[in-house]
Amino acid sequence: MAAPVVSSISPTQGPMSGGNTVTLTGTGFSGATAVRFGGIAAISFTILGSTKILAVVPAGAGAVNVTVTTSEGTSAQTVTYTYVAAPSLSSLSPDQGPVSGGIVVTLTGANLSSATAVRFDAIAALSFTVVSATQISAVAPAHAAGAAAVTVTTAGGTSNSLTFSYVVAPSVTGLTPAQGPASGGTVVTLTGTNLSGATAVRFDGIAAPTFTVVSATQISAVTPVHAAGAAAVTVTTPGGISNPENPSMYFYYAAVPSLVSVTPTSGTTAGGTVVTIMGTSLSGATAVDFDGIAATSFTVASSTAMTAVTPAHAAGTAAITVTTPGGTGNPLTYDYYDTPTLSTLTPGLGPTYAGNTVTLTGTSLTTTTDVRFGGAAASFTVLSPTEVTAVAPAGPAGPVSVTVVTTAGVSNGLTYTRVAGPGI
């Protein structure tokens, strides 16, 4: 009989620790007394017939020749078996991702060539690519929230495990305040769930200039510049993007108010005058100020009109401003005047018929709107802040109180006496 012949071995490689079973195919295997890998005997072997043997590989290193020995001799063919070093992992990047999977993870380590599997716990990666002996790119499968052990299997065995954390997608449920200026810069508080590890906060896709993760349920963010209108607010974490298809929270960007007119344009230093302010973007007004002094009260009628009650203010010009969530608008001028006073009336006597010119002196007469002799209006001319002339209207003989009305109020009264002409 002839010496045995080894024609092939399957698999052709395995771990350096041995212990795996291989199949030898050839001829003349009946009565085999030894199977060797290099010079080391197989841990055990089973003869399945004259053409096949199952052998348990011993520990070893490198490429070795596999031989079978029978009573007729030892096989002389060069059929090699290669010992492969076990793979090892040193890092994962990123090391966390969404429970839905689909994220590409880079595994770094050693002896990763010929990888046959990448697993997250017992779940196979959706796909993987061996980039080099030290790197694999794998697509994470779906997995329940929590830690998953990532391993790589090669002919050399299964690597040590590294932890990949599966994270639930964040959810934003509250926003305070919910509006602010288009110029940005508003500090808003986002509340929700699974906000830890946030990597971005966006307003309609525009990244917040800064943000701070306060807790798993709260983030503080500064709004970016944005056109007036509603902006969807989203948070991105390793678990994904909060409600990307149907955002539940919106921040409303308001335009800066613009003031066009105020009516009346002046009033008493005592305040209490109701003024009408016209402009644009007045909705949501939070303040109306006169030189920094808050209006006694105000009412917004529409985005273009509002009324306000003037506060007390020293005589002079005051700047009216309106503040909304969009900011503080341009100022309008409002003039404060003291209540008029009269000190002299010359002459103090006159006929019962109209036409006598009377000179009134006093203070704060500039904005005179009416001069009255009792209840009768007189024509008048403002000469200066301290002097007005008026033409006395006709009236019955006797005394009558003369007053001046200005935008700041009604003066004290002085007596003018009508005298009946002599009878014939």
Side-chain angles (χ1 to χ4, degrees), residues 98-192:
V99 294
S100 58
I103 188 171
V104 177
V105 181
T106 298
L107 292 71
T108 302
N111 306 312
L112 303 181
S113 296
S114 70
T116 56
V118 176
R119 293 185 174 85
F120 290 69
D121 280 342
I123 306 171
L126 298 179
S127 64
F128 68 90
T129 302
V130 177
V131 178
S132 68
T134 60
Q135 190 175 94
I136 290 177
S137 176
V139 179
H143 188 286
V150 180
T151 57
V152 172
T153 298
T154 70
T158 298
S159 71
N160 59 300
S161 66
L162 293 180
T163 299
F164 182 86
S165 298
Y166 279 91
V167 183
V168 177
S171 173
V172 179
T173 57
L175 195 65
T176 305
Q179 55 184 350
S183 58
T186 302
V187 178
V188 296
T189 298
L190 290 72
T191 54

Side-chain angles (χ1 to χ4, degrees), residues 19 34 53 55 66 85 106 116 119 134-135 153 155 162 196 202 225 249 260 320 328 338 366 377 382:
I53 291 177
V66 181
T106 298
T116 56
R119 293 185 174 85
T134 60
Q135 190 175 94
T153 298
L162 293 180
S196 296
R202 293 186 173 89
V225 176
M249 285 294 117
V260 176
I320 302 175
T328 300
D338 289 317
T366 302
V382 177

Side-chain angles (χ1 to χ4, degrees), residues 45-69:
F45 63 91
T46 302
I47 302 169
L48 299 181
S50 63
T51 61
K52 186 175 292 186
I53 291 177
L54 293 182
V56 178
V57 182
V64 298
N65 192 37
V66 181
T67 60
V68 173
T69 300

Side-chain angles (χ1 to χ4, degrees), residues 84-95:
V84 179
S88 65
L89 294 178
S90 55
S91 68
L92 301 176
S93 181
D95 61 3

Side-chain angles (χ1 to χ4, degrees), residues 328-418:
T328 300
N330 59 296
L332 292 178
T333 297
Y334 182 82
D335 294 313
Y336 276 94
Y337 293 100
D338 289 317
T339 302
T341 63
L342 294 178
S343 55
T344 64
L345 182 154
T346 305
L349 301 174
T352 56
Y353 56 82
N356 189 35
T357 299
V358 178
T359 299
L360 293 84
T361 59
T363 61
S364 304
L365 305 179
T366 302
T367 62
T368 297
T369 58
D370 199 6
V371 176
R372 290 193 170 271
F373 285 69
S379 61
F380 65 91
T381 301
V382 177
L383 301 180
S384 73
T386 61
E387 188 172 273
V388 173
T389 60
V391 178
V400 65
S401 180
V402 180
T403 56
V404 172
V405 180
T406 71
T407 56
V410 181
S411 73
N412 59 300
L414 294 180
T415 300
Y416 176 80
T417 304
R418 291 189 181 95

Side-chain angles (χ1 to χ4, degrees), residues 257-259 277-285 300 302-306 322 324:
S258 175
L259 304 187
I277 301 170
M278 305 298 291
T280 59
S281 304
L282 303 181
S283 296
V300 178
S302 68
S303 64
T304 59
M306 65 186 303
V322 173
T324 72

